[in-house]
Amino acid sequence: MGASTRKTAVVSNEELEKQKQFSQRVASVISVKYDEKPKACVVTYGCQQNVADSEKIKGMLEVMGYDFTDNRLEAKLIIFNTCAVREHAEDRVFGNVGMLKSYKRENTDVIIALCGCMMQQSHIAQKIKMSYPFVDLVFGTHVIHCLPELLYRTLTGRKRIFEIPDMDGAIAEGIPVKRDDDAKAWLPIMYGCNNFCSYCIVPYVRGRERSREKADVINEFKELVAQGYKEITLLGQNVNSYGKDLMPCVSFAELLRELSSLDGDFRIRFMTSHPKDCTKELIETMASCDKVAQHLHLPFQSGSNRVLRAMNRHYTREQYLELITYAKKLMGDELSITSDIIVGFPGETYDDFKETLSLVEAVKATSLFTFIYSPRKGTPAAEMDDPIPAEEKSKWFKQLTDLQEKISASQMALHKDKVYKCYVYGKGKLGDNYVAARNDGNLIIEFEGDENLIGTFQSIRVIEPLTFVMRGEIVKEKKL
Ligand code: 5AD
Ligand code: SF4
């Protein structure tokens, strides 16, 4: 694992070994405690990083002897893996946890656990401690690998456990993963964030940026390909700064080139990129590596330079547009662009917002993820004056989504007669003999074809763009 050559902390082999022993102890405890294999229900909120963490949680639980269910009311262990990025996500968690109160009263042997970004905030952990006494276990983002020990202590002790160390974070390799899908896989290449965008809670709850060793990433990638995974998404809050903390340094573009030169039939995706670190080299790499999806998720957040400065984003709209223009020049119509936008940042005026609208017009994204600003305790933006009323922000928001709807529709029309490399993932809905496939930009194209094409990549020509899907035809069947 190269622990001696890196600047960031790595969880030691002794610690990982200790957790394996706790895992066996949990297995013994639950085999005595329950008549049949107990079920665990893991509920995930938020981003793909959380989805990937939940897959590790499930991997560890499987080794400890748990089965799984989506029905909370038949589980002996309920874990909520929470998100802190907006208030709405937090409210949902409090609502859903609250609903378990009477269930726990009647089923005292059920364990309720909370983890993830929300729990890493001290005021939230405090609220759980005081107002949700039926929650047994709370653990933060930095100790997921300690789940066997924490669960053992919960199962065998009588005290509630709150394990939320305030630290920069470390990397734990070799944790078992139980993946949700058998064709699409999430592969975290780095953790944490150093950017401190002024509205964002992530750097406070996920710690500093730390990259996994390139060899560890490549090994996991090869295993995924050998297991038959076809679409592998590299994850990080800011993948463009991957490898800056490794010794020797590695660039993200370099990693992409190495992965795409591996043998096998697969497609690489990645997210998220930060415009301030997105290099021309990365765009050139995307354009030249045929196994890298021509999809760039590049959040710009606002089109106003004044707001971008207040957000601490370190780029201008002109620089952003230059990147997009370069990417479009190299990848043409094949390229799909998606972005994140925040409406109603503190102090944003209608003129600022109009700058966002004009950037949206210029970018012509396939789709946008749009959010109304949500104040996050402890971030600089939460202290800024925010005079625009919520109703006004909602109006702006609607204006933005209406505009993007028009752009998305006109973008869909441009796909007619285009040929895309698509992954055929399942049966279609347009008719009995249709199968469904996804192109680089995650657009769904259905075509008449045999079910044995499912699990392969095919070239598909778009015949008719419909509203949410496109009808197409196979160009030339490619057998695996
Ligand atoms: N309010 C609203 N949206 C936010 N995001 C991050 N923090 C906030 C916040 N406080 C959005 C950004 C980011 C996406 C993951 O969530 O657009 O890119
Ligand atoms: Fe939050 Fe900015 Fe880091 Fe993204 S880059 S996680 S928006 S601080």
Side-chain angles (χ1 to χ4, degrees), residues 410-430:
S410 62
Q411 294 286 102
M412 279 297 258
L414 298 177
H415 295 297
K416 189 166 163 32
D417 297 328
K418 296 269 158 57
V419 175
Y420 295 109
K421 178 188 172 192
C422 296
Y423 176 69
V424 189
Y425 66 88
K427 282 179 68 72
K429 294 189 180 127
L430 293 180

Side-chain angles (χ1 to χ4, degrees), residues 193-197 199-203 237-238 274 301 313:
C193 181
N194 286 355
N195 293 311
F196 291 94
C197 299
Y199 51 82
C200 187
I201 194 70
V202 170
Q237 301 298 342
N238 176 12
H274 192 307
Q301 313 296 0
R313 292 287 291 178

Side-chain angles (χ1 to χ4, degrees), residues 270-274 295-299 336-340 369:
F270 58 92
M271 65 191 301
T272 290
S273 296
H274 192 307
H295 174 199
L296 189 57
H297 180 61
L298 197 62
S336 162
I337 297 163
T338 54
S339 193
D340 296 349
F369 300 89

Side-chain angles (χ1 to χ4, degrees), residues 276-332:
K276 84 176 164 58
D277 298 309
C278 179
T279 57
K280 290 201 165 164
E281 186 198 1
L282 172 66
I283 292 171
E284 286 153 13
T285 303
M286 282 178 73
S288 63
C289 295
D290 60 342
K291 288 180 183 168
V292 177
Q294 317 262 284
H295 174 199
L296 189 57
H297 180 61
L298 197 62
F300 63 79
Q301 313 296 0
S302 168
S304 151
N305 285 336
R306 201 183 65 82
V307 173
L308 285 172
R309 250 192 323 277
M311 287 178 162
N312 195 31
R313 292 287 291 178
H314 295 281
Y315 56 84
T316 60
R317 64 179 275 139
E318 291 76 20
Q319 285 163 337
Y320 182 86
L321 265 176
E322 198 185 317
L323 283 171
I324 295 294
T325 309
Y326 189 61
K328 284 184 175 173
K329 185 174 141 206
L330 295 201
M331 288 174 265

Side-chain angles (χ1 to χ4, degrees), residues 184 186 231 233 267 269 271 293-295 336 338 366-367 369 425 437-445 468 470:
K184 276 198 303 186
W186 309 111
E231 299 209 88
T233 305
R267 172 153 66 191
R269 300 179 182 279
M271 65 191 301
Q294 317 262 284
H295 174 199
S336 162
T338 54
T366 310
S367 58
F369 300 89
Y425 66 88
R438 253 189 315 261
N439 77 353
D440 272 11
N442 260 328
L443 294 173
I444 296 172
I445 310 178
F468 296 109
M470 302 191 269

Side-chain angles (χ1 to χ4, degrees), residues 85-86 199-200 299 301 340-342 371-376:
V85 91
R86 280 171 294 274
Y199 51 82
C200 187
Q301 313 296 0
D340 296 349
I341 298 176
I342 296 178
F371 310 101
I372 292 186
Y373 168 73
S374 169
R376 304 286 65 212

Side-chain angles (χ1 to χ4, degrees), residues 11-20 145-146 149:
V11 175
S12 69
N13 285 337
E14 295 80 64
E15 177 61 34
L16 294 172
E17 198 44 51
K18 186 176 114 192
Q19 293 305 327
K20 276 191 195 154
H145 62 281
C146 301
E149 179 177 356

